[in-house]
């Protein structure tokens, strides 16, 4: 299978490998700054709300929840909630309207954080973004309880908005996350996985929550419509899909100081991702490689080098960049307040994080 795209990999001018989290932080902070004081205020309110929700759990789970939320990313999904709402005229300019927006954005981030904790339990991961995971620091039982707590608090927060359509949007995404995880477990160590099957897993495990973020924002907007919710949801779904593809590339390309985890962690876990699928099509020896026989980091790194040598990483990147381009082309140009420009920049930030 040949995958085509048009965008090239972005490199720093001095040849050094940029830190993806720093790029992501700088990129999203620049977007928030460009969005003006209302956007910056809303994002700050979401951050405060997340800290308050996690603190209400009480010790010791509150500490684990706070650590997970802090390590969970750069608030890309909450930002999508807010930008989607602003793209449809904004929430009601009342304390109730602003509060509903903050709760919805926080709920999306809480679900995301819950999945990170549970993923780390399933994978037995020791590090996330260079920090010890909850399962590593406190054990399996504490990690499962922390993930359950975050997940339940997400829906408790969203329920306060009193809108069944909002609950349905997040519930559908959560069901997709679980289904995607089950499919990934079914495919573990498989000698052959079709690209179509892999893409379905990515849509379920990652893209669905991105889509839910924009749908929630549209539902909270005073001028929201089903058509606009569909358009923004489709945009976010493509962005989430590209995000997962590029994350899987990064697992193979590394290095650990860039990703916070050793190269080939997914391979050791038996996860068959796009780089391996494409490499198997090009190298007959890789097609017979049994992931269950990998023993330790050195063998995983050697396999990563063999995958990279086939050119599969470049093709996977091009495919992700093409998906981002599709997302940007499909975005309505008539969004108020320049929000189409900001959503374009969000798409660029996703690409630049992994470039």
């Amino acid at each position: 299978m040949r995958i085509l795209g048009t965008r090239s990999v972005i490199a720093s001018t001095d040849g050094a490998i940029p830190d993806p989290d720093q790029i992501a932080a700088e990129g999203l902070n620049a977007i928030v700054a460009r969005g003006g004081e209302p956007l910056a205020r809303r994002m700050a309110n979401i951050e405060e709300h997340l800290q308050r929700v996690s603190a209400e759990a009480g010790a010791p789970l509150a500490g684990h929840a706070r650590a997970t939320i802090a390590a969970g990313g750069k608030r890309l999904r909450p930002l999508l909630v807010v930008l989607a709402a602003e793209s449809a005229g904004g929430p009601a300019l009342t304390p109730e309207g602003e509060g509903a927006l903050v709760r919805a954005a926080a709920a999306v981030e809480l679900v995301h954080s819950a999945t990170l904790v549970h993923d780390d339990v399933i994978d037995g991961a020791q590090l996330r973004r260079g920090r010890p995971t909850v399962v590593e620091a406190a054990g399996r039982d504490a990690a499962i309880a922390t993930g359950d707590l975050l997940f339940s608090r997400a829906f408790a927060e969203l329920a306060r908005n009193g809108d069944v359509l909002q609950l349905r949007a997040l519930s559908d995404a959560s069901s997709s996350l679980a289904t995607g995880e089950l499919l990934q477990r079914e495919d573990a160590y498989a000698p052959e996985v079709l690209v179509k099957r892999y893409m379905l897993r990515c849509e379920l495990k990652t893209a669905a929550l991105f889509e839910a973020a924009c749908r929630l924002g549209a539902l909270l907007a005073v001028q929201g419509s089903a058509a606009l919710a569909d358009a923004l949801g489709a945009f976010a779904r493509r962005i989430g899909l590209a995000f997962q593809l590029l994350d899987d590339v990064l697992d193979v390309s590394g290095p650990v100081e860039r990703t916070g985890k050793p190269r080939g962690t997914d391979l050791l876990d038996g996860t068959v991702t796009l780089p391996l699928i494409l490499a198997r099509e090009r190298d007959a020896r890789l097609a017979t490689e049994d992931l269950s026989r990998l023993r330790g980091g050195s063998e995983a790194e050697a396999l990563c080098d063999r995958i990279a040598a086939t050119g599969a990483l470049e093709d996977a990147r091009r495919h992700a960049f093409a998906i981002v381009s599709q997302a940007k082309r499909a975005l309505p140009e008539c969004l108020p307040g320049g929000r189409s420009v900001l959503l374009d920049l969000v798409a660029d930030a996703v690409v630049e994080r992994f470039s």
Side-chain angles (χ1 to χ4, degrees):
M1 176 179 179
R2 188 180 181 194
I3 297 178
L4 300 176
T6 58
R7 186 163 181 168
S8 60
V9 175
I10 301 170
S12 61
T13 55
D14 62 0
I17 298 175
D19 176 72
D21 288 329
Q22 181 179 356
I23 289 173
E26 291 173 354
L28 295 184
N29 286 340
I31 294 168
V32 172
R34 184 163 177 173
E37 193 275 335
L39 178 57
R41 183 182 67 250
R42 283 167 176 155
M43 295 304 297
N45 289 341
I46 292 165
E47 194 65 32
E48 291 176 4
H49 194 72
L50 284 167
Q51 296 304 318
R52 185 162 56 250
V53 168
S54 61
E56 289 172 354
L61 291 184
H64 301 322
R66 281 197 302 269
T68 300
I69 290 171
K74 304 304 175 186
R75 307 299 182 245
L76 174 57
R77 294 157 190 82
L79 179 60
L80 285 172
V81 175
V82 176
L83 289 179
E86 293 181 350
S87 295
L93 296 179
T94 63
E96 293 78 13
E98 291 291 341
L101 180 62
V102 167
R103 287 190 292 271
V108 171
E109 188 69 7
L110 288 167
V111 167
H112 171 57
S113 297
T115 65
L116 297 182
V117 178
H118 285 162
D119 282 351
D120 289 340
V121 172
I122 293 170
D123 299 339
Q126 296 178 326
L127 295 175
R128 178 166 292 280
R129 298 185 181 277
R131 303 176 183 177
T133 60
V134 178
V135 68
E136 174 68 14
R140 180 183 177 86
D141 290 346
I144 292 174
T146 300
D148 290 347
L149 168 71
L150 292 166
F151 191 77
S152 63
R153 290 310 302 264
F155 281 91
E157 287 300 308
L158 195 57
R160 292 174 59 195
N161 287 356
D163 184 350
V164 67
L165 293 179
Q166 293 180 40
L167 286 168
R168 184 176 299 163
L170 191 59
S171 176
D172 288 347
S174 299
S175 296
S176 294
L177 291 169
T179 302
E181 182 62 41
L182 289 173
L183 291 182
Q184 184 165 299
R185 291 299 98 197
E186 287 179 12
D187 291 346
Y189 304 103
E192 182 179 4
V193 175
L194 297 178
V195 172
K196 182 178 180 180
R197 168 83 167 198
Y198 164 80
M199 297 294 283
L200 173 61
R201 278 176 16 210
C202 293
E203 288 187 3
L204 292 168
K205 275 204 66 177
T206 303
L209 191 57
F210 277 70
E211 179 179 359
C214 276
R215 287 192 176 277
L216 282 172
L219 287 169
L220 284 156
V222 294
Q223 299 175 14
S225 66
L228 185 55
D230 288 344
L232 292 172
F235 163 83
R237 193 175 189 90
R238 291 187 177 101
I239 296 303
L241 183 58
F243 184 98
Q244 185 59 60
L245 265 64
L246 291 167
D247 192 56
D248 290 342
V249 168
L250 205 58
D251 180 73
V252 176
S253 62
V256 63
E257 57 268 21
R258 189 178 185 203
T259 64
K261 61 180 182 178
R263 286 175 68 202
T265 296
D266 287 343
L267 299 174
L268 282 170
D269 188 44
T271 304
V272 181
T273 58
L274 187 59
L276 178 59
I277 294 170
L278 297 180
R280 282 173 167 175
E281 294 175 355
R282 300 170 179 209
D283 185 335
R285 293 174 301 170
L286 285 173
T288 61
E289 186 74 38
D290 185 351
L291 295 182
S292 68
R293 294 182 177 275
L294 287 178
R295 295 293 180 267
S298 60
E299 291 189 12
E301 287 206 19
L303 181 56
C304 288
D305 290 338
R306 291 169 60 194
I307 292 170
T310 68
L313 297 184
E314 288 73 18
D315 267 7
R317 287 191 185 100
R318 281 194 291 268
H319 189 33
F321 296 156
I323 293 172
V324 171
S325 295
Q326 292 169 9
K328 294 172 70 172
R329 287 195 300 268
L331 192 65
E333 297 179 357
C334 57
L335 300 180
R339 263 38 191 173
S340 58
V341 174
L342 294 185
L343 288 168
D344 268 356
L345 292 175
V346 170
D348 290 338
V350 167
V351 170
E352 288 165 5
R353 179 183 185 273
F354 297 98
S355 299

